[in-house]
Amino acid sequence: MERKTITDTLQRPLRDLRISVTDRCNFRCTYCMPKEIFGRDYEFLGRDQLLSFEEIERLSRIFVAHGVEKIRLTGGEPLLRRDIEKLVSMLANIEGLQDIAMTTNGSLLIPKAKALKEAGLKRITVSLDSLDDATFMSLNDVDFPASKVLEAIDASADAGLTPVKVDMVVKRGVNDQDIVSMAGHFRNTGHILRFIEFMDVGSTNGWRMDEMVSAAEIVERINAVWPIEPVDPNYYGEVAERYRYIDGAGEIGIIASVTVPFCSACTRSRLTADGQLFTCLFGVRGHDMRSLLRSGASDEEIGAFLSRVWGQRTDRYSEIRSEGTIPLEKVEMSRIGG
Ligand code: SAM
Ligand code: SF4
Ligand code: SF4
């Protein structure tokens, strides 16, 4: 298929694809899959509803032919999908794809890190919200200790998945007291710690603006202990604002999706585990690519569908959040991936 660039109504090109490979997770992070909702009775997708690796690879090829350069595997917890390294190696063979990354909670990563690297994974992001077990366990809600995630971060670095990114969602009154200790822990390690403003994704995490700690406040708190200065973005549309320690101890990032929206340069598309295409993290409805795949559509037909959906894209949720016209039934984070 000939490679082309497609742009949306705001002239934003399609460049990134985030694929949720499963809607299941072994954690119940209170800000993502609260136990009261994602309990015993919750109906997760069945096996035949999930896209197979072959289907994911075929769609990925079509996305790459329409401008996608980077793919990130996410979930739910992507390492719950059996033999995920096979999918990584299938994707690594796609001509024109420059980058394959994964976001994981790290709980199942230690025995997989090397195989993932060998399969062609280029980068890994491990989520960790606190170094303090009581705090971390209250957030993951399954008593998973922080030390095991730290070991997984080291295992990733040993496997050559460097620099490892470590993502911390900051919630006021829950783990904001750990901003400085997390920064201190990851200084001089080569890992890049990134702070994420608590977001109003989905409809079940009870989001409140006063529980969000702003990027400006995070910068202020770190700067008071170890002075930092901004660094230019690596590329157009980079989500994290970058800072470096003036004493040379490394770099941090801040993802300020609530207070400093970056919709105007948003080049990301998202595919759920059951093949629904979303053009915004805060989407309400997906576009069904699985039916198209399974009804025998050709690559050209699927490509035309993708071009049409992207061409009609108008999303700028984070920018309009403050206008009060936001939808109520947004897709859940565990379905769409981070
Ligand atoms: N299970 C994997 C993990 O936790 O890394 C991948 C999926 S998870 C949905 C992707 C990222 O989204 C994680 O870093 C998680 O902390 C973040 N996340 C989930 N809910 C969030 C929220 N309400 N606000 C900000 N970030 C959130
Ligand atoms: Fe699972 Fe990741 Fe959501 Fe936590 S943030 S519940 S680890 S999908
Ligand atoms: Fe992109 Fe939607 Fe996030 Fe804006 S709100 S940056 S359009 S995903």
Side-chain angles (χ1 to χ4, degrees):
M1 210 184 246
E2 195 194 319
R3 223 161 163 233
K4 46 182 135 185
T5 299
I6 52 176
T7 48
D8 67 10
T9 58
L10 301 171
Q11 305 313 314
R12 297 170 294 189
L14 172 64
R15 288 274 179 263
D16 310 83
L17 173 62
R18 296 184 173 219
I19 305 173
S20 170
V21 292
T22 176
D23 59 339
R24 293 170 198 255
C25 189
N26 54 344
F27 281 16
R28 284 292 175 274
C29 302
T30 53
Y31 51 72
C32 178
M33 295 179 78
K35 264 185 186 160
E36 313 83 71
I37 311 279
F38 295 88
R40 264 180 216 289
D41 298 336
Y42 187 82
E43 268 192 55
F44 290 99
L45 294 169
R47 222 181 150 68
D48 54 343
Q49 291 175 289
L50 297 180
L51 294 185
S52 66
F53 286 174
E54 288 70 24
E55 287 174 325
I56 293 176
E57 184 211 25
R58 182 169 169 218
L59 283 183
S60 298
R61 269 185 205 285
I62 297 171
F63 274 80
V64 170
H66 289 77
V68 163
E69 293 170 348
K70 298 183 188 176
I71 290 183
R72 176 172 296 273
L73 300 177
T74 173
E77 174 45 46
L79 294 175
L80 283 179
R81 187 85 188 246
R82 200 180 326 147
D83 298 330
I84 187 77
E85 62 278 16
K86 280 198 188 141
L87 175 64
V88 172
S89 72
M90 287 160 81
L91 299 179
N93 281 326
I94 298 178
E95 206 179 311
L97 182 62
Q98 294 171 11
D99 195 15
I100 310 176
M102 180 182 284
T103 305
T104 169
N105 63 27
S107 60
L108 305 166
L109 182 56
I110 295 174
K112 286 276 184 184
K114 240 175 131 218
L116 288 167
K117 170 73 182 176
E118 280 163 10
L121 192 74
K122 292 227 165 70
R123 297 181 300 127
I124 197 143
T125 301
V126 181
S127 303
L128 176 64
D129 297 328
S130 176
L131 297 170
D132 174 66
D133 271 341
T135 308
F136 186 51
M137 289 176 181
S138 78
L139 273 164
N140 65 49
D141 219 6
V142 292
D143 288 340
F144 199 86
S147 55
K148 286 268 177 241
V149 182
L150 291 172
E151 283 171 28
I153 292 168
D154 289 341
S156 305
D158 290 347
L161 291 163
T162 49
V164 180
K165 288 188 179 148
V166 180
D167 278 8
M168 169 182 182
V169 176
V170 183
K171 230 181 139 178
R172 191 180 300 284
V174 178
N175 66 340
D176 64 313
Q177 71 281 2
D178 298 333
I179 292 172
V180 170
S181 57
M182 283 283 280
H185 182 87
F186 289 105
R187 276 164 51 82
N188 291 309
T189 59
H191 310 319
I192 301 177
L193 176 63
R194 306 187 316 163
F195 299 92
I196 308 180
E197 288 180 349
F198 175 40
M199 291 187 290
D200 50 337
V201 198
S203 323
T204 59
N205 71 0
W207 185 83
R208 292 193 349 226
M209 186 60 120
D210 59 3
E211 288 183 329
M212 190 269 312
V213 180
S214 71
E217 183 177 336
I218 294 169
V219 168
E220 204 178 286
R221 290 208 210 171
I222 296 173
N223 193 50
V225 185
W226 299 289
I228 49 178
E229 62 185 5
V231 185
D232 285 340
N234 281 318
Y235 52 85
Y236 169 81
E238 188 173 31
V239 172
E241 294 171 19
R242 299 168 61 209
Y243 291 84
R244 73 174 148 237
Y245 293 107
I246 291 178
D247 65 7
E251 189 177 313
I252 58 167
I254 311 215
I255 302 177
S257 32
V258 179
T259 61
V260 192
F262 32 78
C263 302
S264 61
C266 178
T267 55
R268 286 178 295 284
S269 59
R270 297 178 152 88
L271 202 55
T272 61
D274 57 346
Q276 307 296 307
L277 168 64
F278 281 80
T279 55
C280 179
L281 181 53
F282 300 92
V284 178
R285 230 172 12 89
H287 304 267
D288 189 2
M289 298 195 94
R290 187 186 61 187
S291 299
L292 203 59
L293 270 174
R294 296 189 182 172
S295 66
S298 66
D299 286 1
E300 285 66 29
E301 283 164 337
I302 298 173
F305 177 87
L306 171 61
S307 300
R308 208 164 43 245
V309 170
W310 192 264
Q312 290 168 358
R313 177 181 189 243
T314 55
D315 305 297
R316 39 189 288 275
Y317 176 86
S318 291
E319 288 178 352
I320 62 172
R321 182 188 275 112
S322 53
E323 293 169 13
T325 50
I326 53 179
L328 291 174
E329 288 295 324
K330 294 164 287 180
V331 62
E332 293 302 323
M333 187 70 140
S334 52
R335 254 198 93 205
I336 198 172

